[in-house]
Amino acid sequence: MSAAATQSDTIVCINPANGETVGFVPITPVHEIPGIVARARSAQPNWCGLGFEGRAELLRPAGATLVERCEELGHLLTREMGKPLAEGIGEVKHCGASLDETIDEIIAALAPTELTDDHTTSMLYRDPFGVCAAIAPWNFPLSMPHWMMIPALVAGNTVVLKPSEETPLIAQAYGGKSNRILSMTYLCPDGFEGIDKCSASTDSFGGIKFCISETDTVGIERRCDSSASSEIGTVLVGVEAKEFQT
């Protein structure tokens, strides 16, 4: 586990094996959270409008990128939180190698279902919630955001992601603007320009990284992971309290 330290408005990530500084991440001010949620909400209709296959087409390339960068990201993961290197690399590689199959399974699970009896035939449709919030723990610092975000994105939601304050660097690398692992382009609402503002891309707001994407357990229910509590997480839940389902 990382020996992350907080210095006023910055998280200092420290290698637990040798005490060396791995990196720095600015902390998102609490007052910015409502605006971040509002941006995610504004971007969601366009993302939802792409349909299952349209969203899947934009997400699938992230799998190959994760596999290609598994050594680099695995080393970062290990330096930040102390997991054995082979496990760190394996965590990244598995997320990438299994992405296509995961997306196919989610699409199949969320497809319209025909319900029939002796008298009627009905169709069950599953609609996205809108904005989902993911609060991820530190122990699987790439897998947990991945497992939350991908189902929600496929389902048509947008996401605000708050990674553990112990492991913000690997989450930032996973979805941050500078790395573009989950970056993709399509027409965004008026007032948003370019890849960094799209619902399917991600915005890094520092130590707490907010991804404008979707996150969820099966892409339908919003989930807050109780193992990743913090002041910023509490505030985030409070902002959207009426919208959350646990």
Side-chain angles (χ1 to χ4, degrees), residues 14-22 79:
I14 300 171
N15 187 330
N18 57 23
E20 294 180 354
T21 298
V22 181
R79 290 174 61 215

Side-chain angles (χ1 to χ4, degrees), residues 172-186:
Q172 188 176 57
Y174 173 71
K177 290 186 291 186
S178 61
N179 292 280
R180 302 259 200 284
I181 288 178
L182 288 179
S183 63
M184 52 210 77
T185 55
Y186 73 98

Side-chain angles (χ1 to χ4, degrees), residues 32-146:
E32 290 186 7
I33 295 174
I36 293 166
V37 173
R39 288 181 60 192
R41 192 179 302 283
S42 179
Q44 189 271 335
N46 273 13
W47 176 245
C48 181
L50 293 175
F52 283 124
E53 294 303 330
R55 294 189 294 271
E57 182 180 354
L58 294 175
L59 289 167
R60 290 186 194 276
T65 302
L66 286 169
V67 172
E68 291 168 5
R69 297 181 57 190
C70 66
E71 295 275 346
E72 168 200 348
L73 295 175
H75 276 80
L76 174 61
L77 189 157
T78 291
R79 290 174 61 215
E80 185 173 35
M81 57 83 69
K83 181 172 292 190
L85 181 58
E87 294 184 16
I89 294 172
E91 180 174 336
V92 178
K93 189 172 184 178
H94 174 74
C95 287
S98 62
L99 182 58
D100 275 345
E101 182 179 358
T102 297
I103 290 173
D104 290 340
E105 290 178 351
I106 295 166
I107 291 175
L110 299 179
T113 303
E114 183 177 288
L115 305 174
T116 61
D117 59 26
D118 293 338
H119 306 287
T120 62
T121 298
S122 303
M123 291 298 295
L124 173 64
Y125 294 91
R126 298 168 176 85
D127 295 329
F129 275 108
V131 179
C132 298
I135 302 178
W138 63 270
N139 55 331
F140 288 91
L142 191 141
S143 292
M144 293 303 290
H146 183 80

